Amino acid sequence: MDCRDYREKMPEYNKGLLNPEQIMRFEKHLGLCPMCRREAARERRLSTLLEGWTIPEKELGFDAQLAAGLASIKEKERKRGDRWWRKLISPWTLRLAYSGLAAAVIIVGVILAGRLRSDFLFFQAGNTDLIITQEMEVLQEFDLLRDLELFEYWEEIEGVEPADKENS
Amino acid sequence: MLIMDKKVLIDEHVQLMLRFQAGDESAFETLVEFYKSRVVGVAYRFLQNPEEARDAAQEAFLKMYCARQKYEPGTSVFASWLYTIVNRVCLNILRHRRRHPVQRLEPEFGTEGGKSGQQLEDSRAEDAMLTLMQAETQAAVRKVVAGLPETERMAVILDQWEEMSLAEIGLVLDKSVSAVKSILFRARAKLKIKLAGYLDQEGEG
Ligand SMILES: [Zn+2]
């Protein structure tokens, strides 16, 4: 240990928080090192100086304001407590609600990711026409695709071969 | 608060807080009775304005009342939990003060054992000198403590006057034990520089 380590330990030494062995080592160093001895004395004097800043008793007094504040809080709490659903709110029901919400988010995420992935795999396997048929079904359901012209246009932009069309 | 009594007090206050949580209002009153002068003292030294300190203490106790269900005995000792609230309230007051600087009057500070002019004349010259010196030293201490950054100031107050452990201060300031150690080291180094005139007067102790 060098002087820096001893300086760091100084507050603990002054508060008597070191163990007997540490105290022995500390005091041995203080006996040999005038700089650390001086610093230890300054530390102690600083504490004494700070301790000297006392607060007049009258400043510590507490007025009746606290009682008034408490009364209004109690009144508010009483009104709130009258609502039936408030009684259900406790740290445990909140925790339950949060975990339920988190589970729902995860489930929806997994479902969406699964659907995207299966679509992608389906597409990769060359089933582009089937994908289009699926999309078609959706569109038909919405009643947005009634005439063939639009269908052909759709085929054109997707670049579907006429041979594939026969299968569908 | 004596260190020896601390463990007993901590257990006792945790029990009181749990009783209060369960609906026993008298437990709250007991806690307020024990901590009120301490809380005002911390706020007083931090804000250095008696009126704001009393407001801060009152607000802290009201917040403690409202937040009783959030207290968990396992995660912090009672005093750390309470002083976390006090620290936040004090910081809010400082923020408010910065936003409304003109409305604030300079605080009137009293000193323990401070005497009026007439009393000073009556007492012996030596006593008067001593009182004056004490008042001057206290004013110097107040000034340098006020000059510390907020976190360092609160750390010094909790360490010096509340005799809290590094771990307890860490809970209040949301810092690790080693972080609190270096905050205190830095703060005390600053105090020693600014108060050098008072520290080097006497011979080596
Ligand atoms: Zn040394």
Side-chain angles (χ1 to χ4, degrees):
Chain A
M1 292 224 314
D2 60 14
C3 288
R4 242 184 79 157
D5 300 318
Y6 285 109
R7 302 266 167 104
E8 262 177 38
K9 284 248 175 294
M10 228 158 248
E12 288 160 79
Y13 169 72
N14 281 336
K15 283 182 193 165
L17 296 174
L18 298 181
N19 65 42
E21 200 214 313
Q22 286 173 312
I23 293 172
M24 216 169 71
R25 259 200 293 175
F26 203 94
E27 286 176 350
K28 197 179 156 196
H29 180 77
L30 287 188
L32 297 168
C33 180
M35 288 306 284
C36 282
R37 199 161 58 232
R38 179 173 171 270
E39 204 47 43
R42 277 166 60 89
E43 262 293 324
R44 272 199 304 277
R45 264 186 246 129
L46 176 65
S47 289
T48 312
L49 208 59
L50 293 175
E51 288 296 339
W53 177 17
T54 51
I55 303 175
E57 204 63 40
K58 67 177 167 74
E59 304 288 21
L60 296 172
F62 231 69
D63 6 53
Q65 271 179 309
L66 181 66
L70 274 177
S72 94
I73 284 174
K74 281 176 196 170
E75 178 63 16
K76 261 185 227 156
E77 283 190 352
R78 196 185 57 74
K79 276 184 191 157
R80 233 178 5 182
D82 287 346
R83 286 177 220 150
W84 66 270
W85 54 271
R86 281 277 173 188
K87 293 189 180 81
L88 297 176
I89 297 177
S90 74
W92 279 107
T93 53
L94 279 179
R95 256 170 239 174
L96 205 69
Y98 286 140
S99 24
L101 196 69
V105 168
I106 290 166
I107 289 166
V108 167
V110 165
I111 290 170
L112 282 179
R115 284 191 62 156
L116 276 173
R117 190 170 168 272
S118 65
D119 274 5
F120 178 69
L121 288 177
F122 207 53
F123 185 77
Q124 258 193 338
N127 297 311
T128 43
D129 54 333
L130 278 177
I131 293 261
I132 284 161
T133 313
Q134 278 176 1
E135 302 294 336
M136 278 287 299
E137 278 164 10
V138 174
L139 288 169
Q140 271 167 349
E141 258 173 56
F142 280 103
D143 230 2
L144 286 170
L145 200 68
R146 281 201 208 111
D147 55 344
L148 205 65
E149 262 180 53
L150 198 52
F151 182 39
E152 273 164 3
Y153 171 71
W154 178 253
E155 276 183 324
E156 230 175 79
I157 57 165
E158 286 295 306
V160 179
E161 296 295 318
D164 287 333
K165 206 177 82 185
E166 281 169 19
N167 298 335
S168 61
Chain B
M1 205 191 299
L2 285 169
I3 289 169
M4 261 174 66
D5 297 332
K6 236 176 170 178
K7 206 159 178 60
V8 181
L9 278 179
I10 285 164
D11 289 342
E12 199 183 303
H13 292 167
V14 167
Q15 290 312 315
L16 280 169
M17 191 59 208
L18 291 175
R19 265 172 49 199
F20 171 44
Q21 224 169 25
D24 181 355
E25 298 263 328
S26 73
F28 174 73
E29 281 157 28
T30 312
L31 284 170
V32 171
E33 201 48 51
F34 183 86
Y35 281 101
K36 67 181 180 187
S37 60
R38 285 175 171 79
V39 169
V40 181
V42 168
Y44 183 97
R45 290 190 172 99
F46 188 80
L47 299 166
Q48 303 219 0
N49 180 301
E51 212 168 294
E52 282 181 336
R54 279 193 294 268
D55 286 348
Q58 185 203 316
E59 203 185 321
F61 284 118
L62 292 180
K63 281 203 155 71
M64 168 188 156
Y65 188 97
C66 294
R68 62 191 178 277
Q69 297 304 343
K70 286 185 188 143
Y71 173 72
E72 285 176 50
T75 52
S76 68
V77 295
F78 176 72
S80 293
W81 185 72
L82 175 61
Y83 287 141
T84 305
I85 301 175
V86 176
N87 185 38
R88 281 195 206 141
V89 169
C90 286
L91 289 174
N92 278 340
I93 288 178
L94 280 191
R95 229 161 277 149
H96 183 265
R97 200 195 274 177
R98 273 197 286 267
R99 264 184 263 133
H100 310 271
V102 271
Q103 290 169 3
R104 192 176 157 248
L105 292 166
E106 274 308 302
E108 281 272 329
F109 274 110
T111 50
E112 188 86 289
K115 290 163 184 168
S116 73
Q118 186 57 46
Q119 280 173 316
L120 273 179
E121 260 179 78
D122 292 346
S123 56
R124 296 209 324 266
E126 204 177 309
D127 282 354
M129 261 313 275
L130 200 71
T131 310
L132 265 174
M133 270 170 65
Q134 276 173 348
E136 195 217 307
T137 312
Q138 282 201 17
V141 168
R142 275 200 313 262
K143 203 176 155 200
V144 294
V145 170
L148 289 173
E150 287 152 12
T151 308
E152 290 178 16
R153 202 188 321 161
M154 188 51 89
V156 166
I157 291 167
L158 297 178
D159 171 67
Q160 187 68 52
W161 288 282
E162 295 305 302
E163 294 180 22
M164 287 175 88
S165 72
L166 296 176
E168 288 163 356
I169 298 171
L171 286 169
V172 175
L173 301 174
D174 198 18
K175 305 265 183 217
S176 68
V177 168
S178 60
V180 173
K181 220 174 182 178
S182 59
I183 287 169
L184 279 172
F185 192 79
R186 213 165 40 230
R188 288 182 75 92
K190 285 180 194 170
L191 294 178
K192 276 186 274 183
I193 291 170
K194 297 227 171 100
L195 294 169
Y198 297 92
L199 298 177
D200 297 325
Q201 280 171 354
E202 301 150 57
E204 264 172 35

